[in-house]
Amino acid sequence: MNASDEEITALLHTGVSNNAVVQELHVDKHRVAALRRTLGLPAHQPQPLTLEQKWATKTRKVDGGHLHWTGTLGSSAGTPVLAYRGTVVTAASIAFRIRTGRTPVGYVLPECDYHHCVAPDHVEDEPGRQKAREQLRYLTGGTARPDRCVHGHDQAAHGKFEEDGTSYCGRCKAEKRAAARARETAGV
């Protein structure tokens, strides 16, 4: 082997790709591929980043312990999203999984004042938000929410809390929104 073949062989044995050898040593790609075959080395298998590692590459720390999303924004609301292995997930849901180790339930939203913050300690899923809001209700002198709303919906299943701890019926709210959309569609 001449010196160039030795250099190529040394790099191939480190586990890099053929393209990496070509770029580093400025040699012909066919020559590198032939040497890989002669040496009996398998084709390079890239080590893809985990979802969490890829998420981390798209964040930037800002004052207050917040994380700013530098990656893709989806929808008209500008929700931070990440494409990974053929699916798109929200950056906040990944942050939630990093903190809790579980898949979130419902929307994951920041509970701080930084718009679209994706810091794991700043995001919460629907049950977590509702629990915190219920606790706030009691801390501010509120009483337990009623068992049923004025329309008879079971509040154990449909009851929710606003940010200030005020209770409301999630089903009633959803029905009102659906009726409003229907009126808009009908042109009323």
Side-chain angles (χ1 to χ4, degrees):
M1 280 195 241
N2 63 37
S4 292
D5 283 350
E6 290 172 3
E7 290 175 317
I8 294 169
T9 299
L11 275 177
L12 286 173
H13 279 295
T14 67
V16 299
S17 69
N18 290 5
N19 285 340
V21 173
V22 168
Q23 289 174 356
E24 171 128 358
L25 299 177
H26 306 288
V27 293
D28 179 67
K29 66 181 180 180
H30 301 291
R31 185 170 161 215
V32 174
L35 266 173
R36 182 181 290 277
R37 281 191 304 275
T38 301
L39 296 168
L41 295 174
H44 173 72
Q45 295 294 320
Q47 296 300 315
L49 297 175
T50 66
L51 177 63
E52 293 79 9
Q53 289 168 332
K54 186 173 179 183
W55 172 88
T57 68
K58 308 288 184 185
T59 63
R60 179 175 43 88
K61 291 180 181 180
V62 294
D63 291 341
H66 306 291
L67 279 182
H68 177 78
W69 184 249
T70 62
T72 305
L73 302 177
S75 77
S76 60
T79 303
V81 295
L82 181 68
Y84 186 75
R85 295 186 180 176
T87 64
V88 176
V89 292
T90 68
S93 68
I94 299 165
F96 180 84
R97 275 191 294 248
I98 289 169
R99 186 185 90 236
T100 66
R102 69 174 177 83
T103 301
V105 176
Y107 291 113
V108 177
L109 301 170
E111 290 292 297
C112 62
D113 59 356
Y114 190 85
H115 188 63
H116 289 309
C117 182
V118 295
D121 289 339
H122 295 191
V123 297
E124 194 60 78
D125 68 350
E126 182 67 23
R129 276 192 306 282
Q130 291 302 311
K131 182 177 180 181
R133 292 172 181 182
E134 183 176 21
Q135 290 171 345
L136 176 64
R137 178 184 179 91
Y138 296 133
L139 288 171
T140 57
T143 59
R145 74 174 164 226
D147 291 334
R148 301 213 167 264
C149 74
V150 296
H151 295 102
H153 301 132
D154 180 4
Q155 293 306 282
H158 303 289
K160 304 235 182 209
F161 295 96
E162 299 284 358
E163 286 183 27
D164 66 359
T166 304
S167 66
Y168 69 94
C169 178
R171 184 168 172 189
C172 286
K173 191 172 187 176
E175 288 173 359
K176 286 179 188 173
R177 273 185 282 178
R181 280 193 301 271
R183 283 191 302 275
E184 286 177 16
T185 304
V188 177

